[in-house]
Amino acid sequence: MFELNRKTIILSIALLALVLLPPLSIALDESYVISSMSRVLIFAMAAISLDLIVGYGAMISFGHAAFVGLGAYTAAILGFHFHEDIAMFSFPFEFSGSNQLLISLLLAMLVAAVVAAITGMICLRTHGIHFIMITLAFAQMLYYLFISLDYYGGEDGLVMLARNELPWVDLADDSQFYYLCLLFLVAYLVLSLRLVNSQFGRVVRGCKINEQRMQALGFNTYWYRLVAYVIAATGAALAGALLANKTEFVDPGLFSWHLSGELLVMVILGGMGSIYGAVIGAIVYLLLEQIFAAYTEHWMFFLGPVLILVVIRARHGIYGLLQKWWTANV
Amino acid sequence: MLLFIEQVLNGLQLGFMLFLLSAGLTLVFGVMNLINLAHGSFYMVGAYVAATVMLATGSFTLALLLALLSAALCGLLVEIIVLRHLYQRDHLDQVLATFGLILFFNETTRMIWGRQPLFMDVPEAFAGSVEILPGVPYPLYRLLIIGIGLLVAGGLYLLISHTRLGMRIRAGASNRSMVAALGVNIRWLYSLVFALGALLAGFAGVMAAPVFAVESGMGESILILTFVVIVIGGIGSVKGALLGALLVGLVDTLGRAFLPDLLQWLFATPTANSIAASLASMAIYLLMAVILAFKPRGLFPA
């Protein structure tokens, strides 16, 4: 598996660069880079989770940001109750929030899983563009729901007083937080690669190519697709909870269709159906955004045409180009 | 009761405005199998051009003409430069490319007109209000929107089912290569349909300019509503778009107007207001989810 070919060399160099980034940027006195790269890593995770259903399951969700938002709000609300010491509920036991990272992450994933299971049951009855639109509809509903939650800040959002806590790790330190995100990203990437190559993953991929044939083979494709949808939602919620910790602030904009669109752009730009592509897409998209933004206030004026060119010229995204290059002459 | 009639008219007015937008979108989808997220941008172009010309010259006719022309021209250019390459691709590529178009158009309007919203006055000829029932005055301009919506709906019906062009459009929707083989220049047919859709969107923009603020990004908020409309109606069906648009317009308007009162019977006032506000915003999405749950292909599947 670990042959010395162009692919492994490039992946190792990329990983090394990500590991060396914090000490290098501190040495170069540009330590703000660490914080913005943490954001990139978190979005890479969200993009991977979207790639799981878009690239492998042909479920083009235009509401994936909803699960990022749910994850982020779960972490923020738990933190809010913990710091204000107000009980969230008192039956069957008294619970007044938590500032433990592991608890936030687990609960974030749980909330997203429950919501995804319920909405997914309805969404998966539809196909194609109808699926795109109904996922969008549910995300919009959550968007308006959180705008109306005045208790948690409503439209203005909710400030987290401090990042969560984790034994032996100081999350308030940007470098340590960065490494935590990197660790989560690598772990999530490996897990996702294993998932898509597992028997479960093969069935879901089969549904993408020909769902009727999979049904004829005796698989209950509806349940397989629903489980895949729920798994993807938990990944997005994980990213959301980390994002809330990173920015220490959440607002309903996290549910917006704009963010869902951006996640889709990352997946397609990087090359969908390849897991690595989602990471590349997130890094390239967010870096392009920052580079253009550094030169001009009107960065979208340039980013838009770049996206269009990528779609028309590079059909399998950046990862497709790379793949062509490293399989060409090994 | 009088309030109810007024709100129903408001709902119809929103509905017909949505119809102008969704008719073009659903035609483009039905004929070319293309998802165009940038449809709202033509609406925005129409509104901006109309507001600018109106401010500069004061003539509504001129504003209307130039706005329609520029929206159609934008549509034509976008079709020729970008979208022509995407008909054979899957929906995902189309979503990405047209998302890029949205960014481009929004930023371009921001560069030309700045971040401040423009405001356009209601043209003088339609400024007053009429008494539709004794004691119920209603703004003339809003009635005009309803009337124009009805006219466009009738015109589209005639165009699609009773003209040679309409016949070709319908044929192109069901089998592109067959129509091409019969000697129809399908490329120009597609460009024409696309420009027509953009023109209708621009028309909606002109109508909306005096009612809403004209600002960059105004296309997206209404675009989402438009997508809800065509999904409810059944994608590709103009009849579905009309029904869906009126349904969405009425549900949204009546929900916002009457939900707070209804909920006040159940809850204390502040709770009722906050719940009602979010329920009213969610109402159309709930409607869409319910309809898709029972009819996964919309009310009038094409």
Side-chain angles (χ1 to χ4, degrees), chain B residues 116-170:
Chain B
Q116 294 300 321
L118 297 180
F119 292 96
M120 178 177 157
D121 294 326
V122 174
E124 259 175 51
F126 310 107
S129 53
V130 279
E131 244 175 71
I132 39 171
L133 282 175
V136 188
Y138 195 76
L140 186 58
Y141 188 74
R142 287 172 178 252
L143 282 180
L144 179 77
I145 295 179
I146 297 178
I148 286 176
L150 277 172
L151 276 181
V152 170
L156 272 180
Y157 167 74
L158 286 180
L159 175 76
I160 291 175
S161 43
H162 291 287
T163 64
R164 181 161 289 271
L165 178 66
M167 205 163 72
R168 286 184 178 162
I169 291 175
R170 278 179 291 143

Side-chain angles (χ1 to χ4, degrees), chain A residues 54 60 125 129-130 133-134 137 140-141 144 148 257 265 268 272 297-298 300-301 304 308 311-312 315, chain B residues 35 82 89 92 96-97 99-100 103-104 107 110-111 115 220 227 231 235 278 281-282 285 288 293 296:
Chain A
V54 171
I60 304 172
R125 287 173 47 83
I129 177 153
H130 293 96
M133 288 303 140
I134 197 167
Q140 290 291 106
M141 279 188 229
Y144 289 115
S148 73
W257 74 286
V265 166
I268 305 166
M272 61 170 185
E297 182 196 354
H298 302 292
M300 287 199 266
F301 182 78
I308 297 169
V311 176
I312 293 180
R315 296 189 66 162
Chain B
I35 298 184
V82 180
R89 303 289 193 82
L92 206 48
L96 179 56
F99 187 78
L103 297 185
F104 177 78
E107 205 56 56
R110 226 169 274 153
M111 282 158 79
R115 286 177 190 280
E220 278 86 83
F227 269 113
V231 166
I235 295 166
S278 74
S281 313
M282 281 195 259
Y285 300 105
M288 167 164 147

Side-chain angles (χ1 to χ4, degrees), chain A residues 54 60 62 122 125-138 140-142 144-145 148 150 257-258 261-262 264-266 268-269 272 285 297-305 307-308 310-313 315, chain B residues 29 35 37 81-82 85-86 88-97 99-104 107-108 110-111 115 220 223-224 227-228 231 234-235 274 277-278 281-282 285-286 288-289 292-298:
Chain A
V54 171
I60 304 172
F62 208 164
I122 302 172
R125 287 173 47 83
T126 63
H127 287 92
I129 177 153
H130 293 96
F131 183 80
I132 302 183
M133 288 303 140
I134 197 167
T135 47
L136 173 68
F138 278 116
Q140 290 291 106
M141 279 188 229
L142 285 171
Y144 289 115
L145 178 72
S148 73
D150 288 333
W257 74 286
H258 217 264
E262 280 187 308
L264 270 180
V265 166
M266 291 172 196
I268 305 166
L269 184 68
M272 61 170 185
Y285 181 80
E297 182 196 354
H298 302 292
W299 53 273
M300 287 199 266
F301 182 78
F302 299 98
L303 189 60
L307 288 181
I308 297 169
V310 169
V311 176
I312 293 180
R313 290 283 154 210
R315 296 189 66 162
Chain B
F29 189 89
I35 298 184
L37 291 188
I81 296 173
V82 180
H85 306 281
L86 296 173
Q88 308 296 328
R89 303 289 193 82
D90 59 68
H91 292 327
L92 206 48
D93 284 348
Q94 300 167 352
V95 166
L96 179 56
F99 187 78
L101 281 174
I102 291 186
L103 297 185
F104 177 78
E107 205 56 56
T108 312
R110 226 169 274 153
M111 282 158 79
R115 286 177 190 280
E220 278 86 83
L223 175 83
I224 301 266
F227 269 113
V228 171
V231 166
I235 295 166
S274 123
S278 74
S281 313
M282 281 195 259
Y285 300 105
L286 276 173
M288 167 164 147
L292 283 193
F294 291 102
K295 300 198 79 164
R297 293 169 54 77

Side-chain angles (χ1 to χ4, degrees), chain A residues 108-119:
Chain A
M109 288 164 74
L110 192 70
V111 169
V114 171
V115 173
I118 297 169
T119 59

Side-chain angles (χ1 to χ4, degrees), chain A residues 97-170:
Chain A
S98 164
N99 70 339
Q100 290 301 311
L101 183 74
L102 293 179
I103 295 180
S104 306
L105 294 183
L106 271 177
L107 281 178
M109 288 164 74
L110 192 70
V111 169
V114 171
V115 173
I118 297 169
T119 59
M121 277 196 264
I122 302 172
C123 294
L124 287 171
R125 287 173 47 83
T126 63
H127 287 92
I129 177 153
H130 293 96
F131 183 80
I132 302 183
M133 288 303 140
I134 197 167
T135 47
L136 173 68
F138 278 116
Q140 290 291 106
M141 279 188 229
L142 285 171
Y143 173 70
Y144 289 115
L145 178 72
F146 277 86
I147 280 186
S148 73
L149 283 183
D150 288 333
Y151 188 67
Y152 297 120
E155 206 161 351
D156 300 328
L158 184 62
V159 176
M160 272 178 92
L161 284 176
R163 283 182 184 166
N164 285 155
E165 285 173 7
L166 189 68
W168 308 298
V169 185
D170 178 17

